[in-house]
């Protein structure tokens, strides 16, 4: 869901990313006919992915965060095809085997969604996944300094 | 110890929706209170925040899985609180 990481501050433990909602997608055929809207679950997924990039960066890709819990999710406004989303996440806690972030989405300067997201943070299950995550990180412009432990 | 237990019991009662009077120092978080691993993440987050520590859950899990200690060492609340007190003391030292 994330197109580009535009800012990553390890001191403040925050990340900001951009995501452009495609103008056309099979998703919109059913959601909803004649009134296309980005499904709320994909807004949550966008926040989870953005927070996940932050956790990966903080841990220098030594461990993998998997979505475990979404709390206090609020979908405040519709997001439509072609709209640009600005997604922010802040690491609330880097626990032992888990991490918690606060994430939010804005469009045109207005907050449209937010949630608190918990991840289980575990060793990468295999080298393939880690390599793919590193390749994707480069594709979304994750700064090189965060890619290796 | 008693204040640590009161704090932890309060966290468990609120996080896991368990009546406070059912939670004692002898309670086993999993076997007696039925706290599952996902709920325990919430409990751990609240404990870490409340005491300003980072409970080494991965190390504890590894010790249990390797048979070095029983789950009682970390999941019986009296023992958990003693471990929390040690972490708080170590942080202050």
């Amino acid at each position: 869901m994330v197109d580009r990481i535009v800012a990553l501050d390890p001191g403040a433990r925050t990340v900001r990313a951009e995501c452009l909602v495609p103008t056309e997608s099979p998703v919109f055929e059913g959601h909803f006919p004649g009134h296309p809207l980005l499904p709320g679950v994909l807004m949550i997924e966008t926040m989870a992915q953005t927070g996940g990039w932050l956790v990966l960066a903080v841990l220098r890709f030594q461990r993998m965060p998997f979505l475990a819990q979404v709390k206090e999710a609020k979908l405040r406004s519709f997001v439509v095809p072609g709209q640009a989303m600005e997604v922010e996440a802040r690491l609330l806690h880097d626990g032992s085997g888990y991490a918690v972030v606060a994430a939010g989405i804005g469009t045109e300067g207005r907050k449209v969604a937010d949630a608190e997201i918990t991840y289980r943070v575990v060793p990468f299950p295999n080298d393939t996944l880690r390599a793919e995550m590193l390749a994707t990180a480069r594709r979304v412009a994750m700064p090189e300094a965060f890619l290796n432990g | 110890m008693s204040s640590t237990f009161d704090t932890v019991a309060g966290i468990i009662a609120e996080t896991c929706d368990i009546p406070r009077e059912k939670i004692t120092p002898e309670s086993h978080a999993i076997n007696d209170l039925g706290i599952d691993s996902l709920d325990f993440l919430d409990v751990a987050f609240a404990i870490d925040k409340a005491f300003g520590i980072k409970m080494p859950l991965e190390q504890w899990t590894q010790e249990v899985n390797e048979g070095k200690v029983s789950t009682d060492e970390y999941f019986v609340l009296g023992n958990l609180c003693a471990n929390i007190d040690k972490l708080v003391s170590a942080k202050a030292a």
Side-chain angles (χ1 to χ4, degrees):
Chain A
M1 298 293 294
V2 173
D3 293 325
R4 193 166 75 94
I5 292 168
V6 293
L8 209 163
D9 183 337
R13 306 208 291 185
T14 58
V15 68
R16 196 152 45 86
E18 291 176 344
C19 316
L20 181 63
V21 181
T23 53
E24 291 185 22
S25 165
V27 168
F28 300 132
E29 291 172 14
H31 194 282
F32 293 95
H35 188 62
L37 299 173
L38 184 67
V41 290
L42 294 183
M43 295 164 74
I44 291 169
E45 175 65 16
T46 302
M47 292 188 281
Q49 288 190 15
T50 302
W53 286 123
L54 174 62
V55 175
L56 280 162
V58 167
L59 300 178
R60 299 296 194 273
F61 286 77
Q62 295 305 301
R63 286 169 171 260
M64 178 71 191
F66 290 97
L67 179 61
Q69 179 170 244
V70 179
K71 284 171 86 172
E72 305 284 341
K74 292 189 173 131
L75 309 174
R76 300 171 185 280
S77 188
F78 294 146
V79 175
V80 298
Q83 215 161 16
M85 298 189 287
E86 305 107 40
V87 194
E88 294 184 337
R90 179 168 54 91
L91 186 61
L92 298 177
H93 189 58
D94 170 25
S96 174
Y98 73 100
V100 185
V101 307
I105 299 175
T107 57
E108 295 152 16
R110 191 168 58 125
K111 185 190 279 190
V112 295
D114 48 89
E116 181 183 291
I117 298 167
T118 302
Y119 307 84
R120 290 185 198 277
V121 180
V122 300
F124 274 94
N126 56 53
D127 292 340
T128 302
L129 175 58
R130 184 167 187 271
E132 287 296 326
M133 293 307 293
L134 285 166
T136 306
R138 290 188 171 96
R139 204 158 52 239
V140 298
M142 170 85 73
E144 200 68 28
F146 295 101
L147 298 185
N148 288 297
Chain B
M1 173 63 198
S2 61
S3 66
T4 300
F5 175 74
D6 287 342
T7 303
V8 170
I11 286 169
I12 289 172
E14 185 176 334
T15 305
C16 304
D17 199 20
I18 295 171
R20 172 65 182 81
E21 62 272 15
K22 283 193 174 177
I23 305 168
T24 71
E26 292 74 37
S27 301
H28 189 295
I30 301 167
N31 300 341
D32 297 328
L33 302 179
I35 299 173
D36 68 16
S37 64
L38 186 56
D39 282 339
F40 198 77
L41 287 187
D42 275 343
V43 171
F45 180 36
I47 289 174
D48 281 359
K49 269 197 305 185
F51 293 95
I53 58 174
K54 179 172 174 174
M55 286 193 296
L57 301 180
E58 290 174 295
Q59 178 195 321
W60 292 353
T61 302
Q62 188 177 345
E63 289 173 14
V64 169
N65 289 342
E66 290 174 354
K68 292 178 179 170
V69 296
S70 78
T71 58
D72 290 1
E73 174 63 24
Y74 300 120
F75 289 102
V76 169
L77 298 189
N79 296 339
L80 176 65
C81 291
N83 282 303
I84 291 169
D85 286 340
K86 281 186 208 164
L87 291 167
V88 172
S89 297
K91 192 187 173 201

